[in-house]
Amino acid sequence: MAAIPTQRESQAPGHEPRGRATLPGSPLAPGSARALVRAALAEVPGVSGRLADDATAVVSELVTNAVVHAGTDVEVEWRLEATGAFVVEVGDRHPSRAPRDPVGGETPYEAAEYGRGLRLVATLAESWGVTYRTGAKTVWARLPPGGVEPAHEPARLPALEVAEGLATQPQRAGCDREWLGRGALSFLAEASDLLAGQLDENLVAALTGQLIVPRLADWCAVWLEDEASARGGTSGGPARVWHASEARIEELRCALEKEPPCPGDGLRSNPERYPWPGDALGPEGTHGAALAYRLIAGGRPLGTLVIGRCGLSRFPDEVTGLVEDLGRRVALAVGAARQYARQATISAVLQRGLLPGAVAEIPGVRSALVYEPCDKGGPSGDFYDLFPAGDGRWCFAVGDVQGKGPEAAVVIGLARPWLRLLAREGYRVADVLDRLNQLLLDDATEAADAAARALVAAGGRPVRSGDGPQTRFLSLLYGELTPHDGGVRCTLASAGHPLPLVLGPDGGVRTAARPQTLLGVVEDETYTSETLDLRPGDSLLCVTDGVTERRSGSRQFDDGDGLARALSGCAGLSAELIAERIRRLVHDFGGGLPEDDLALLVLQAE
């Protein structure tokens, strides 16, 4: 999640401590809101721990409700009044609607539209409500100065022990009304954090079972639907089945597979009765109550959650409401996991299209490549290529686009095919860079003109000429190899890129090009190239700045010619071993995971 922009007013005498933040409407928003408020209250002298806990729980529920029902960015504003009371307002950017009168005995906060978590908020807050303004809706709550005094301290669950802790607590649903009324808020808050951090929908389903059993039910099952199956309702077996007794899980699964839930029409998450699978639960489970909850997020059904309790004719309302709220969080987590999976798949396909399927084999040259994008969920800004250009020539490129993600993919998708086309058309190294530089500048100008026309067509203010086109910068090391009897002739040029190094058999290291301007920066820039001979045993090392700028505290890997020193220690090694040794040294230098993409290419004359 991106950093939360916050503002706090001065806490000088006579001023009420206050703050506000804008949070992206994602499953991580409630956790961010809790952290924000708790940190802010910790800085205010005299705030009791109970008030801080209650304020954190109320903020969590209000933000969760906004994320579930609005799906937009969320505005959170809080203040500590002179009386010591805590007031919070949570607004979303969904178009506001006027309050509706109850129809047919239905309350204004029916389960289909409003989270029951707000009813839990009401048990903590002295007052709360919904304020409708022109184009906006805000839910607010107010807590008295000392928080709400309970009959006894509620159950509070450590964040890292939620799943295990619930499984060992002795209280039974319907027997601990104090926990259901107050401690349930902590449960929902911690469950939100636990579920929101998962990027696998099957793991979300597994955690759901551990959260529910045995605290809220004796058993539960989760069916997950893909887009196709959702049109016709749930079918097939459940993704996860959980029972308080592990010996009953498989028998229960078999029974549930014969009775998949059949959701009714509409997108309602309120519970519906489910047939009791008594034969699968042994003599002590012949009678009980079971409920099915539709898992809905973003207006789409994602699955069904079924819970069961032996010996009950019906679940207490407090339990059904709490599970309904938990189900909303489960649905959000499943939706987020699916969105991540879709994005990862798209990124993987895109990345494969931006990189060569295989590097060319060059007569008389051994090559080795290391390519490690730091963000596995999006296209890298680094790229490489090694391809035949005809007439006994092979060309190579190692580049780094400013930025990452789709913008980087656009530049790579433009640059790499043009490199191949120009090389195969017979253009030499310097000419290729000249034309690629102009191509990037022309493309940026066209993109800026198109954006300006779209802005004017939409009624916006025309872009001033001083704003200019936004260029797309590219650093590139590009070269051409021509093998001959005595080794390999190499012509290359570096445009704003870390300079290549040549390692001799005796361990000597020298640079093989001179620095020149980034591509896509200066109009009509003229590039030049250098030519050298790689004799048998010579190795050419080409890297991106993920190698040279690898950080360890305030130091970088290439400080004091660190890369050259590392390469000199690779004398006598093969291309593959040189690449692996440099990779390992770079990783070890930082002591943690790389924060930038890493690419290096070794070309060794045989």
PDB file of all heavy atoms in Angstrom, residues 282-294:
ATOM      1  N   GLY A 282     -21.498 -38.205  13.394  1.00  0.00           N
ATOM      2  CA  GLY A 282     -21.525 -39.156  14.497  1.00  0.00           C
ATOM      3  C   GLY A 282     -22.741 -38.992  15.392  1.00  0.00           C
ATOM      4  O   GLY A 282     -23.592 -38.125  15.177  1.00  0.00           O
ATOM      5  N   PRO A 283     -22.843 -39.815  16.433  1.00  0.00           N
ATOM      6  CA  PRO A 283     -24.019 -39.799  17.319  1.00  0.00           C
ATOM      7  C   PRO A 283     -24.254 -38.449  17.982  1.00  0.00           C
ATOM      8  O   PRO A 283     -25.400 -38.036  18.177  1.00  0.00           O
ATOM      9  CB  PRO A 283     -23.682 -40.876  18.365  1.00  0.00           C
ATOM     10  CG  PRO A 283     -22.669 -41.748  17.695  1.00  0.00           C
ATOM     11  CD  PRO A 283     -21.885 -40.862  16.807  1.00  0.00           C
ATOM     12  N   GLU A 284     -23.174 -37.745  18.345  1.00  0.00           N
ATOM     13  CA  GLU A 284     -23.356 -36.471  19.039  1.00  0.00           C
ATOM     14  C   GLU A 284     -23.745 -35.343  18.092  1.00  0.00           C
ATOM     15  O   GLU A 284     -24.092 -34.240  18.540  1.00  0.00           O
ATOM     16  CB  GLU A 284     -22.071 -36.081  19.779  1.00  0.00           C
ATOM     17  CG  GLU A 284     -20.916 -35.639  18.914  1.00  0.00           C
ATOM     18  CD  GLU A 284     -20.170 -36.780  18.247  1.00  0.00           C
ATOM     19  OE1 GLU A 284     -20.592 -37.953  18.435  1.00  0.00           O
ATOM     20  OE2 GLU A 284     -19.174 -36.518  17.540  1.00  0.00           O
ATOM     21  N   GLY A 285     -23.723 -35.592  16.781  1.00  0.00           N
ATOM     22  CA  GLY A 285     -24.025 -34.537  15.827  1.00  0.00           C
ATOM     23  C   GLY A 285     -25.246 -34.814  14.982  1.00  0.00           C
ATOM     24  O   GLY A 285     -25.330 -34.341  13.845  1.00  0.00           O
ATOM     25  N   THR A 286     -26.199 -35.558  15.507  1.00  0.00           N
ATOM     26  CA  THR A 286     -27.386 -35.887  14.713  1.00  0.00           C
ATOM     27  C   THR A 286     -28.281 -34.680  14.481  1.00  0.00           C
ATOM     28  O   THR A 286     -29.045 -34.635  13.526  1.00  0.00           O
ATOM     29  CB  THR A 286     -28.199 -36.986  15.404  1.00  0.00           C
ATOM     30  OG1 THR A 286     -28.484 -36.580  16.755  1.00  0.00           O
ATOM     31  CG2 THR A 286     -27.415 -38.294  15.437  1.00  0.00           C
ATOM     32  N   HIS A 287     -28.242 -33.703  15.395  1.00  0.00           N
ATOM     33  CA  HIS A 287     -29.072 -32.508  15.256  1.00  0.00           C
ATOM     34  C   HIS A 287     -28.201 -31.264  15.393  1.00  0.00           C
ATOM     35  O   HIS A 287     -27.208 -31.261  16.117  1.00  0.00           O
ATOM     36  CB  HIS A 287     -30.190 -32.479  16.316  1.00  0.00           C
ATOM     37  CG  HIS A 287     -31.090 -33.672  16.255  1.00  0.00           C
ATOM     38  ND1 HIS A 287     -32.020 -33.859  15.257  1.00  0.00           N
ATOM     39  CD2 HIS A 287     -31.189 -34.749  17.079  1.00  0.00           C
ATOM     40  CE1 HIS A 287     -32.665 -34.995  15.459  1.00  0.00           C
ATOM     41  NE2 HIS A 287     -32.178 -35.561  16.561  1.00  0.00           N
ATOM     42  N   GLY A 288     -28.610 -30.219  14.698  1.00  0.00           N
ATOM     43  CA  GLY A 288     -27.877 -28.967  14.790  1.00  0.00           C
ATOM     44  C   GLY A 288     -28.395 -27.954  13.790  1.00  0.00           C
ATOM     45  O   GLY A 288     -29.382 -28.194  13.085  1.00  0.00           O
ATOM     46  N   ALA A 289     -27.733 -26.815  13.735  1.00  0.00           N
ATOM     47  CA  ALA A 289     -28.120 -25.739  12.828  1.00  0.00           C
ATOM     48  C   ALA A 289     -26.945 -25.413  11.910  1.00  0.00           C
ATOM     49  O   ALA A 289     -25.794 -25.404  12.342  1.00  0.00           O
ATOM     50  CB  ALA A 289     -28.529 -24.492  13.613  1.00  0.00           C
ATOM     51  N   ALA A 290     -27.252 -25.152  10.659  1.00  0.00           N
ATOM     52  CA  ALA A 290     -26.229 -24.795   9.684  1.00  0.00           C
ATOM     53  C   ALA A 290     -26.722 -23.619   8.852  1.00  0.00           C
ATOM     54  O   ALA A 290     -27.915 -23.549   8.511  1.00  0.00           O
ATOM     55  CB  ALA A 290     -25.890 -25.981   8.780  1.00  0.00           C
ATOM     56  N   LEU A 291     -25.807 -22.697   8.533  1.00  0.00           N
ATOM     57  CA  LEU A 291     -26.138 -21.507   7.758  1.00  0.00           C
ATOM     58  C   LEU A 291     -25.135 -21.333   6.625  1.00  0.00           C
ATOM     59  O   LEU A 291     -23.952 -21.661   6.765  1.00  0.00           O
ATOM     60  CB  LEU A 291     -26.105 -20.249   8.643  1.00  0.00           C
ATOM     61  CG  LEU A 291     -27.137 -20.158   9.765  1.00  0.00           C
ATOM     62  CD1 LEU A 291     -26.847 -18.936  10.628  1.00  0.00           C
ATOM     63  CD2 LEU A 291     -28.549 -20.100   9.199  1.00  0.00           C
ATOM     64  N   ALA A 292     -25.622 -20.813   5.504  1.00  0.00           N
ATOM     65  CA  ALA A 292     -24.781 -20.536   4.343  1.00  0.00           C
ATOM     66  C   ALA A 292     -24.744 -19.031   4.093  1.00  0.00           C
ATOM     67  O   ALA A 292     -25.791 -18.368   4.102  1.00  0.00           O
ATOM     68  CB  ALA A 292     -25.313 -21.259   3.107  1.00  0.00           C
ATOM     69  N   TYR A 293     -23.541 -18.493   3.907  1.00  0.00           N
ATOM     70  CA  TYR A 293     -23.343 -17.069   3.636  1.00  0.00           C
ATOM     71  C   TYR A 293     -22.704 -16.921   2.257  1.00  0.00           C
ATOM     72  O   TYR A 293     -21.684 -17.547   1.973  1.00  0.00           O
ATOM     73  CB  TYR A 293     -22.406 -16.432   4.659  1.00  0.00           C
ATOM     74  CG  TYR A 293     -22.899 -16.424   6.080  1.00  0.00           C
ATOM     75  CD1 TYR A 293     -22.789 -17.560   6.884  1.00  0.00           C
ATOM     76  CD2 TYR A 293     -23.444 -15.267   6.631  1.00  0.00           C
ATOM     77  CE1 TYR A 293     -23.219 -17.541   8.199  1.00  0.00           C
ATOM     78  CE2 TYR A 293     -23.867 -15.241   7.955  1.00  0.00           C
ATOM     79  CZ  TYR A 293     -23.760 -16.377   8.734  1.00  0.00           C
ATOM     80  OH  TYR A 293     -24.179 -16.359  10.035  1.00  0.00           O
ATOM     81  N   ARG A 294     -23.283 -16.071   1.444  1.00  0.00           N
ATOM     82  CA  ARG A 294     -22.687 -15.778   0.147  1.00  0.00           C
ATOM     83  C   ARG A 294     -21.488 -14.855   0.349  1.00  0.00           C
ATOM     84  O   ARG A 294     -21.571 -13.861   1.081  1.00  0.00           O
ATOM     85  CB  ARG A 294     -23.727 -15.083  -0.723  1.00  0.00           C
ATOM     86  CG  ARG A 294     -23.491 -15.217  -2.214  1.00  0.00           C
ATOM     87  CD  ARG A 294     -23.919 -16.567  -2.726  1.00  0.00           C
ATOM     88  NE  ARG A 294     -24.070 -16.512  -4.188  1.00  0.00           N
ATOM     89  CZ  ARG A 294     -23.324 -17.190  -5.024  1.00  0.00           C
ATOM     90  NH1 ARG A 294     -22.355 -17.962  -4.561  1.00  0.00           N
ATOM     91  NH2 ARG A 294     -23.537 -17.116  -6.323  1.00  0.00           N
TER      92      ARG A 294
END
